[in-house]
Amino acid sequence: MERAFWLLDRGARFNGVGVVAVRGPGPLDEALLRLALRRLQAQHPLLRMRVVGDDQDLRFTEQGAGPLPLRVLAAASWQEAVEDELNLRFADDADHLTRLTLIRNAADPERSVLLITHHHVVTDAFSNVFVVRDLLTHLATLLATPAPPPVGSLPLLPPLPLLLPPAARRLGRLRQMGAFVYKYGLCRPLRRARPLPLEQPAPPAARRNRLLQRTLQPEQTLALGQRAREAGASVHGALCAALLLATAETAYATELAAHTPTTVGCFTALNLRPQLTPPVGEGLGLYMSQVTTFHRIVPRPPLWQLAREVKEKLQATLATGEQYLTMPLIGLLIPWRTPPGPAFIRRFDGGSPAALGVSNLARPPIPRCYGPLTIEDLHLAVGVSVVGQLMGQATTWEDRLNLNLVYSEPLVSAARAARILDGALAHLQAALVS
C-alpha cells in the first residue's frame, strides 16, 4: 500500500498539508520551533524515516535520515504557499518525508501560520492533526521550561493490512471480495457511471494541484448540522450532495439541458483507526481508506434527498467491508515489470470510478490551547495525484466549516473549480431554509 502511494507520487505530487493558524504572545521564535521539531521527530518514528531501495524493493529506514527542514516566509498567502507545498515533490533520495513552513505577518505579529507537509506515504489526515497537536505541545513545553527532559519514542506501528479486524481476514475477505467484484465489475456496464469530463488533457508531469478555499461561518455550520439531522441525512451527505449538484450544473450542463440520465461516483475518505485490531489510536501512518457510492444527478434531485441517499449508500457499502479492501488492494495492482512506476501510473491515471471525492474531518480531536498558544484555525489539503481530478476537503474548527477544493489543473480549470465550489456553497445555504 505504501509502495503504491510512493509510485503514484511519480505521476503527480501526492503530498498532504496541514495548515494551522496559531496566536501567541508574539511571533513564533524560529530557533525554538527548530528545537520543538527535534522533539517531535524524537517522539514519532515515522518522522525519522526515509525511503531507500529501488522500485522493486522499497524500505523505510532511519539510516541517513535528517532533521525536518523549516523555511520561513514573510506575509505570504497561506493558500499560495499550500499550493507550492502540494506540488513540491519529495525527492527519491531525500533524507526526510515531512517538512515545515512558518508564515509570519508583520501586520499581526502575534499570529503565525504553520504548514506541515507530509508525503502521503507516511501519513493520513488524522496523522497530520496529531502532528499539529504534538508540535504545539512541545513548543508550549519549551516556552515554559528552557531545558525539558528528553522525549521518548513511540513504537513503530504495523501497517494497515496487518491490523484489519478478524471479519476482514481469511474467509471473511472472500465475502468482501465477492461484493467488491460484483459492484465494480459485474454492475459496471449497467451503471455506466460517467467520469469527470476533462477540460484540457495533459500528461501527469504537466499537471498542478490547485486549491480554492471557502468557509461557512459558525451560525451556518451549526444550522447545517441541525438541518441535516431533521432531514435524516448527515453533514457529510450534504457536502457530497452539494458538490455533486454543483458539478452536474458545471461539468454536465449538456446532459442537464437534454435531460439525459447521468450517474456519477463520489468517493468518501474514511478513518479506519477505531476499527483496527488493536486500534492504532493516535499513531502516525496510513490508516485510512475510501469507498465510492454512485448517484443519479440528472435528472437533478433535491439536495436533502441526495444527501440521504449518500448516507444510506455509504452505510450499506461499509456493511460489505469494502473499506478494508480498497487501500490494501492498490498495492496488488503494481506491475511486476521493471520499472513498474510508469505502467502503474498509466493504469491509475484517471482510473477512479468517482467523478469527485469528499474528505470530512469534523472537529479534530485535539485541544485548542497549548500554554500561551492558541489554535485559531485549521485546514487540511491533500494532492489528488493521478487517480482523480477533484476533491472537496472539509475541516470544522471553532464551529467554522472550512471547505477546500483541490483540483488538478489543466484537467480542471480554475474557472470551473470556482463555479463548482461556489455552486456547492450556494446549494448548502439554500438548503438551510428549504
Side-chain angles (χ1 to χ4, degrees):
M1 178 176 161
E2 287 91 344
R3 182 173 171 231
F5 275 42
W6 181 264
L7 293 177
L8 286 176
D9 180 71
R10 303 284 179 82
R13 309 298 77 79
F14 211 10
N15 299 338
V17 185
V19 183
V20 55
V22 180
R23 184 165 294 279
L28 287 182
D29 181 75
E30 182 179 344
L32 202 67
L33 186 53
R34 292 187 185 278
L35 288 175
L37 285 176
R38 292 180 195 170
R39 295 176 64 83
L40 181 72
Q41 202 169 14
Q43 177 185 5
H44 291 290
L46 271 184
L47 299 184
R48 304 192 297 269
M49 294 291 174
R50 59 190 296 254
V51 173
V52 298
D54 57 34
D55 288 354
Q56 301 290 350
D57 182 25
L58 293 167
R59 302 180 306 281
F60 285 125
T61 179
E62 290 189 52
Q63 184 176 1
L68 302 183
L70 170 68
R71 65 169 179 158
V72 181
L73 304 177
S77 161
W78 69 258
Q79 290 95 334
E80 292 179 3
V82 167
E83 283 191 353
D84 290 342
E85 288 298 312
L86 287 174
N87 292 288
L88 180 60
R89 187 168 183 269
F90 289 88
D92 286 355
D93 58 353
D95 64 3
H96 59 278
L97 296 169
T98 297
R99 57 179 180 255
L100 272 82
T101 302
L102 169 62
I103 301 176
R104 290 176 170 156
N105 189 345
D108 189 0
E110 294 184 350
R111 190 176 194 268
S112 303
V113 176
L114 284 169
L115 311 184
I116 305 175
T117 305
H118 304 277
H119 193 306
H120 209 341
V121 75
V122 290
T123 62
D124 53 20
F126 273 87
S127 297
N128 210 325
V129 167
F130 295 139
V131 166
V132 166
R133 178 201 61 192
D134 293 343
L135 175 61
L136 295 181
T137 299
H138 290 307
L139 272 173
T141 299
L142 290 167
L143 286 168
T145 308
V151 178
S153 177
L154 295 171
L156 184 63
L157 297 172
L160 171 64
L162 299 182
L163 299 175
L164 293 176
R169 302 179 188 178
R170 301 183 179 91
L171 294 179
R173 178 164 288 193
L174 293 178
R175 179 180 64 84
Q176 294 160 4
M177 283 293 297
F180 191 90
V181 171
Y182 177 78
K183 177 179 177 179
Y184 293 102
L186 299 179
C187 288
R188 182 177 178 179
L190 300 175
R191 186 171 52 239
R192 292 189 292 181
R194 294 282 304 278
L196 185 71
L198 304 183
E199 291 188 271
Q200 182 179 332
R207 302 172 197 168
R208 179 176 174 82
N209 283 301
R210 298 292 305 275
L211 172 75
L212 289 175
Q213 194 275 321
R214 303 288 188 269
T215 296
L216 280 180
Q217 294 305 314
E219 61 275 11
Q220 295 173 309
T221 303
L222 294 172
L224 179 62
Q226 178 63 31
R227 186 68 185 87
R229 288 188 292 271
E230 293 171 353
S234 64
V235 170
H236 178 80
L239 291 171
C240 294
L243 284 165
L244 284 167
L245 292 173
T247 301
E249 294 160 355
T250 304
Y252 302 94
T254 301
E255 289 81 356
L256 272 176
H259 305 287
T260 304
T262 304
T263 296
V264 300
C266 177
F267 76 77
T268 291
L270 300 166
N271 172 32
L272 295 184
R273 292 164 184 266
Q275 305 164 41
L276 301 180
T277 306
V280 299
E282 300 175 354
L284 304 192
L286 273 177
Y287 302 111
M288 48 75 66
S289 188
Q290 67 183 46
V291 298
T292 299
T293 54
F294 296 93
H295 308 276
R296 178 69 59 84
I297 58 172
V298 181
R300 185 169 44 194
L303 182 135
W304 290 119
Q305 175 185 321
L306 184 55
R308 283 191 296 271
E309 180 182 287
V310 169
K311 178 182 177 181
E312 291 164 1
K313 287 192 173 184
L314 186 56
Q315 290 173 339
T317 300
L318 296 181
T320 70
E322 180 180 317
Q323 66 274 26
Y324 303 129
L325 290 175
T326 311
M327 290 297 103
L329 275 179
I330 192 174
L332 299 180
L333 298 176
I334 299 174
W336 288 100
R337 72 189 71 174
T338 304
F344 189 59
I345 292 164
R346 287 194 299 271
R347 176 174 293 175
F348 276 87
D349 191 10
S352 173
L356 58 91
V358 178
S359 169
N360 180 23
L361 188 59
R363 294 178 173 82
I366 61 174
R368 177 175 177 266
C369 297
Y370 303 80
L373 305 175
T374 301
I375 297 179
E376 287 195 333
D377 209 356
L378 185 68
H379 298 255
L380 294 174
V382 63
V384 289
S385 188
V386 298
V387 180
Q389 295 86 40
L390 195 67
M391 184 174 180
Q393 300 166 12
T395 309
T396 303
W397 188 260
E398 293 290 282
D399 289 329
R400 292 186 304 273
L401 192 152
N402 295 319
L403 183 56
N404 298 329
L405 189 70
V406 176
Y407 61 99
S408 182
E409 193 178 52
L411 306 183
V412 178
S413 69
R416 170 172 284 186
R419 288 196 300 271
I420 290 174
L421 183 55
D422 290 334
L425 286 181
H427 279 290
L428 290 174
Q429 290 162 351
L432 297 182
V433 296
S434 63

